[in-house]
Amino acid sequence: MTDAIERETMETGVVIVGAGPAGLSAAIALKQNSPDLEIVVVEKSADIGGHILSGAVMDPAGLDALIPDWREQGAPVGPAVTEDSFVYLTEKSAITFPNLLIPPIMKTKGAVIISLGDLCRWLAERAEALGVDIFPGTAAADFITGANGEILGIVTGDMGIARDGTPKPTFTPGIELRAKYTLIAEGARGSLAKRLIRKFGLDEGRAPQKYGLGIKEIWEIDPARHQPGKVEHFMGYPLDSATSGGGFCYHAGDNRIYLGLVAHLDYENPTFSPYDEFQRFKRHPRIAGLLEGATCISYGARALTSGGWQSIPKLAFPGGALIGCSAGFMNVPRLKAIHNAIRSGMAAAREVAAAIAVGRANDAIETLNEAVLSSGIRDDLYPVRAVKPLWSKLGIYAGVGLAGADMWVSSLARHSPLGRLVSDKPDFARLKPISEVTPIAYPRPDGKTTFSRSESVYRANIAHDEDQPVHLRLTDPDIPIRDNLPKYGEPAPLYCPAGVYEVTEEGGEPVFRIHAQNCVHCKTCDIKDPAQNINWVPPEGGSGPNYSGM
C-alpha cells in the first residue's frame, strides 16, 4: 500500500478477514459473549460463499457447540451419512475395505453431507442478525502496523486500478479498518497469514505446513444410481505409490454427487498434473458407470492444509490471531476440518472478548493458543499426527499400512507409536529435476465426462476484470524460463488446475504467460512453485470464482 493515498479510517472492535466457517463462527461467538461489541467481517468474494469450496462431509461437533439448535433453525445441510466406505482402486477394479478394519478414530458420528458455501451463507445471516457488519467484495490487501510492530487492523484493497498500475476514472481507495484485535480467517495459504507467520516467526519450531489440492465437480446423475447419504473415499488409482491423496464421491440431495480428488502437493514428479489425474480418476469403471448420462454442473479447486498437529503455528500475535485453515486444523485421515475451524473461531472469540472486557487491545493474547487447542482440536489431531509424515515418507502402500496400524494403537491404547515422525520439507522442495523422472503422458479429454481446463474454468463462473494489475506476482520474471524450464520443465501449467500459466513461443524463444483472469484462487502456485517466485495476492474485491453449492 502506498502512504501517499489518503484513506478513510473506520474504527471497530474486532475485524475478521474471511467469511468462511472460522471467521463467521468467531463473529457469532463474539456477539454471543459481548453483544455490544462492534464486529466487522470482510470477504473478498462478491457474495458470501462464492469462494468457498469443500467436499464436504461435516462432523457436526463444531456446529453443535456454536448453534445447538441448528437443525431446528433450518441450517442448509444435505442428507445424513448412511454409508461410509474406503475403497482401493486398481486401474480396472475396486476393493472395498471391510468396515471392521477401519480404525475407530477415522469414523464420524452423526456426519452430514453439506455444501460449505451454502452453510456459510446461512451462518452469515445468523451473524448479521446479531449485529455483525459483513462486507463482501472487499479484499484485505494489507495490515496496519503500530509503532512497536503490533497489528492495528487492515487496509482493504483499492478498486479501479488499471493493469499498468495507474488509477482509472473509477478509482476508489481502500479504507483503513482499525480494530482492537484482528482475526485472520483467510483459509489455506492466505496472503496476510503468510506474511504474519513470517513477520512474527509463528512457525518457529514447527514442522513445515503441508498442503493438498482439492479438485471438485458437482454432477447431476441418473436417479437410479443416486443413493443419498452414501460416502466413498478412494485411494490407489490414478495416483502412483509415491503420491499421496485420493478421490471422493458423496451422494448429496437432488440426485447430485460431489465428486473430487485430493492430490497432496509434496509429489516429486514435475510432470504430474493434479487436474489431469482427476480426469483419469473419472475414467475408472467405478466412477465412469456412475457418470453415464450425467451432467456436470460446476467445477472448482482449492488448496487445503494437511500438515496436521506438528505444523500448527503459534496462533496469537500482537494484535490478533490466526484461526481456521489459516492455521491448519485439518484431520487428514478423516478429511475433515470444518468442525475444527468452527471450534477455533469460537475459542479465539472468547479469549478476544475477555481481553477487550478488561481494557486490553492490540497485544498478544497468550492464553489464546491453549484455549483454541483445548477446544477439541488437540483431541482430534494429536492421535493422528503420524499419518501425514508416514504418507509423505513411505508412499501409499507402506505409509497407509503403518498409518492404519498406528491409528489402531492410538484408538485402543491412546498412544501413537510413530507420533514422533515429522514432515521435514516444504512441498515445493520435494520436486525432482525433470531429468530424474519419467514424464507422465495424459489422455485427451472426451468432452463428456473428462474436460479441458478451459471447459472446467467456464463452470467455475469466474468474474475478473482483465484491466487490473496481475495478482500473481513474480519476484523475478526471468526465473520461469531461465531456471524452472530447463530444470523442471516449468511445472506451473501442470500444477495449476485452471489454465492460468502457459509456456509458449515468440520469435522462436520460450515465453512465460500468466492468464490471471482464469484464476480460481486455489493458491497452488504460491505453494508449489519450486523457486518460490510466485506470490499470490488478492485481486480487486469481487474478482474470482463465484461458486454455487460448493
Side-chain angles (χ1 to χ4, degrees), residues 52-364:
I52 296 290
L53 185 145
S54 184
V57 174
M58 183 182 71
D59 181 337
L63 198 54
D64 284 344
L66 179 68
I67 305 174
D69 62 343
W70 57 269
R71 293 173 180 84
E72 291 75 17
Q73 288 196 39
V77 301
V81 173
T82 57
E83 177 185 343
D84 192 350
S85 302
F86 289 84
V87 183
Y88 178 76
L89 299 181
T90 67
E91 188 172 354
K92 298 295 183 183
S93 63
I95 304 166
T96 301
F97 288 92
N99 193 52
L100 289 174
L101 292 181
I102 306 303
I105 57 177
M106 287 186 66
K107 298 175 182 179
T108 302
K109 183 179 179 180
V112 289
I113 299 172
I114 68 165
S115 156
L116 184 55
D118 289 348
L119 181 65
C120 286
R121 279 184 278 274
W122 184 82
L123 288 173
E125 292 170 0
R126 296 299 167 286
E128 288 177 321
L130 293 171
V132 175
D133 293 313
I134 301 178
F135 297 101
T138 305
D142 205 350
F143 42 77
I144 306 166
T145 305
N148 297 313
E150 73 277 18
I151 301 304
L152 303 177
I154 64 162
V155 181
T156 65
D158 298 330
M159 303 287 284
I161 297 180
R163 191 179 180 90
D164 63 5
T166 59
K168 296 188 284 190
T170 57
F171 174 72
T172 304
I175 67 171
E176 290 190 357
L177 274 171
R178 292 179 174 263
K180 293 179 173 66
Y181 292 100
T182 301
L183 296 179
I184 304 298
E186 299 171 295
R189 196 68 169 200
S191 54
L192 291 189
K194 184 174 73 167
R195 292 171 56 195
L196 289 165
I197 289 169
R198 185 185 305 122
K199 174 180 172 66
F200 293 110
L202 302 179
D203 58 349
E204 289 179 6
R206 272 68 168 181
Q209 185 58 269
K210 309 291 284 183
Y211 298 91
L213 174 60
I215 301 174
K216 175 183 173 181
E217 290 174 342
I218 299 177
W219 287 77
E220 187 171 325
I221 66 169
D222 183 342
R225 297 187 174 95
H226 189 244
Q227 301 177 58
K230 181 177 181 178
V231 166
E232 291 183 303
H233 292 104
F234 301 92
M235 63 180 67
Y237 182 86
L239 304 180
D240 63 24
S241 60
T243 306
S244 60
F248 61 86
C249 180
Y250 307 152
H251 288 245
D254 301 322
N255 296 319
R256 294 185 176 189
I257 59 169
Y258 301 158
L259 187 67
L261 180 83
V262 173
H264 290 279
L265 293 177
D266 52 4
Y267 63 83
E268 298 178 339
N269 190 330
T271 70
F272 178 88
S273 164
Y275 179 86
D276 291 299
E277 294 292 334
F278 177 48
Q279 306 311 307
R280 291 178 63 202
F281 171 64
K282 290 185 288 181
R283 293 174 184 267
H284 190 276
R286 179 72 167 249
I287 306 301
L290 197 62
L291 299 182
E292 287 181 12
T295 301
C296 185
I297 296 171
S298 56
Y299 165 86
R302 184 67 171 93
L304 52 90
T305 57
S306 63
W309 177 258
Q310 299 96 324
S311 300
I312 298 173
K314 183 179 179 181
L315 306 177
F317 54 81
L322 307 176
I323 58 176
C325 286
S326 286
F329 300 126
M330 169 74 77
N331 184 313
V332 176
R334 288 207 295 151
L335 199 61
K336 290 175 178 60
I338 299 167
H339 64 301
N340 285 337
I342 294 173
R343 285 167 166 167
S344 72
M346 293 177 63
R350 286 192 290 268
E351 296 303 304
V352 168
I356 292 174
V358 296
R360 295 170 60 182
N362 306 115
D363 61 343

